[in-house]
Amino acid sequence: MKKKVLLMGASGSGKTSMRSLIFSNNPASLTTRLGATIDVEQNHVRFLGDLILNLWDCGGQDAFMDSYLTTQRSTIFQHVGVLIYVFDVETNEMHKDLEYYRDCLEGLRQYSPDAAVFLLVHKMDLARDRDATFEKKKKDLQEQSDKVQGPAAIPVTVFGTSIYDESLYRAWSSIVHTLIPNAAVLSKHLTIFAEACSATEVILFERTTFLVIATSSPPSANLEPTRYERTSELIKAFKRSCSRVREEFHALEMELPQFSAVLDELTKNTYILIIVHDPAVETAALRLNVRMARRKFEQLQGLT
């Protein structure tokens, strides 16, 4: 099962940098070495067994954008599962960016009316008043989207992102989640697993990107709302540290006064993170439960 993902936006808006961070595991410090994308770069990323993300990174120079909207229109906008349109928060050409975005929405309505649309207001680390800037941009973008689409509107979701914090993982986890057909089933079984382990929470991550695929039912405790994406960012940074000393990351176990945590391979495509606040629960028991649940989750992911 292949899902086409369009990554579009003006040249220099940060599309290739975020792709490099999420899918190639490069640190933000290396993104300055990346050159501009020429025409369309396609990448295939395998998720959860037979789900393949067909990622089209579309160069944002005017000549390429004009080509996408005219001679390549049907090729670009057919069979799209998700459109991700990236806006540079500090651009001086917002009027032109919006014009291209509206034209892309029209192409999407014509060839892929069921596609989801995500708008990323990127480089938010450069904004002076981050919250106020994002809310204004979000309102403007939603108004522009409604004008183009009319009564038969495609749902549009807006995120503020930066390659220097966890916001990028939050946005991309939400994007990927819409493409996973059995995400609700996975969440249901994670909730059952959490109850069996006496766990506070259980999170399922995709193995390569460490994007969040599914979680158990939210606990009653008042936990940090950005905990999932911060965990993604920290684990990927730790994996890079392991690579620098020529070690391979396999699993992680923590026992602290406040809680215990076990991060372990669940299937060949996923990692599972178990958080437990009950001091009576041993981490060895959690690892044993992961091994016992492995076959069931392989079946759910179509791996057996």
Side-chain angles (χ1 to χ4, degrees):
M1 180 170 55
K2 189 179 289 187
K3 298 283 188 177
K4 182 176 177 180
V5 179
L6 283 184
L7 182 58
M8 306 187 81
S11 180
S13 60
K15 303 182 298 299
T16 303
S17 295
M18 65 173 67
R19 190 192 79 189
S20 172
L21 239 76
I22 297 294
F23 295 103
S24 300
N25 297 322
N26 291 322
S29 58
L30 295 183
T31 58
T32 54
R33 304 177 184 180
L34 299 172
T37 302
I38 305 301
D39 204 5
V40 178
E41 290 185 12
Q42 290 192 48
N43 289 271
H44 292 80
V45 182
R46 182 174 292 276
F47 264 66
L48 301 184
D50 63 350
L51 176 60
I52 298 174
L53 300 188
N54 184 14
L55 183 63
W56 292 41
D57 184 356
C58 302
Q61 294 90 335
D62 290 356
F64 295 138
M65 292 296 289
D66 292 337
S67 176
Y68 306 150
L69 296 166
T70 53
T71 56
Q72 297 188 66
R73 190 179 183 89
S74 61
T75 303
I76 295 293
F77 294 106
Q78 273 186 347
H79 311 301
V80 176
V82 169
L83 167 65
I84 305 167
Y85 205 98
V86 182
F87 293 91
D88 184 341
V89 71
E90 290 209 322
T91 182
N92 294 320
E93 299 183 314
M94 192 63 176
H95 178 76
K96 184 175 73 173
D97 290 352
L98 287 173
E99 185 177 346
Y100 277 131
Y101 165 62
R102 290 192 295 265
D103 290 341
C104 288
L105 270 189
E106 290 289 359
L108 206 62
R109 286 183 66 190
Q110 181 180 358
Y111 291 101
S112 301
D114 296 327
V117 179
F118 290 86
L119 309 181
L120 305 187
V121 182
H122 197 46
K123 303 183 183 179
M124 289 299 296
D125 53 287
L126 301 177
R128 292 182 180 178
D129 189 339
R130 184 163 178 161
D131 291 339
T133 300
F134 172 67
E135 288 303 322
K136 183 179 184 304
K137 293 284 187 183
K138 179 180 178 180
K139 182 181 177 182
D140 292 344
L141 290 172
Q142 288 177 330
E143 288 177 353
Q144 291 292 327
S145 302
D146 291 342
K147 286 179 182 178
V148 174
Q149 300 187 84
I154 299 173
V156 172
T157 306
V158 187
F159 286 101
T161 57
S162 167
I163 61 173
Y164 297 106
D165 61 32
E166 70 278 358
S167 60
L168 192 63
Y169 290 94
R170 176 171 177 260
W172 276 88
S173 290
S174 297
I175 292 165
V176 168
H177 192 267
T178 65
L179 298 171
I180 299 172
N182 64 337
V185 175
L186 290 171
S187 292
K188 176 185 174 182
H189 283 82
L190 287 175
T191 301
I192 296 171
F193 181 79
E195 292 172 354
C197 295
S198 299
T200 306
E201 194 167 27
V202 177
I203 305 102
L204 191 67
F205 296 95
E206 197 277 326
R207 182 187 182 96
T208 304
T209 63
F210 258 86
L211 296 175
V212 177
I213 293 170
T215 66
S216 59
S217 296
S220 57
N222 185 22
L223 300 178
E224 170 60 46
T226 62
R227 61 193 181 279
Y228 301 141
E229 46 269 28
R230 291 180 67 184
T231 300
S232 296
E233 183 185 29
L234 289 169
I235 293 299
K236 289 192 77 169
F238 183 64
K239 287 178 69 178
R240 286 195 295 269
S241 298
C242 291
S243 298
R244 284 198 293 271
V245 295
R246 298 183 180 180
E247 295 288 345
E248 190 173 345
F249 176 83
H250 291 288
L252 179 67
E253 183 179 314
M254 299 173 63
E255 293 188 52
L256 302 173
Q258 299 86 358
F259 67 93
S260 297
V262 168
L263 178 68
D264 203 355
E265 295 181 28
L266 183 61
T267 69
K268 66 180 183 181
N269 295 320
T270 58
Y271 270 87
I272 190 169
L273 175 63
I274 310 168
I275 306 296
V276 177
H277 286 83
D278 184 348
V281 178
E282 297 286 346
T283 54
L286 298 177
R287 294 198 307 272
L288 176 60
N289 285 339
V290 170
R291 289 198 295 271
M292 294 177 67
R294 190 163 284 146
R295 182 171 179 81
K296 178 63 178 178
F297 280 91
E298 287 175 346
Q299 292 173 350
L300 292 172
Q301 296 174 32
L303 299 176
T304 59

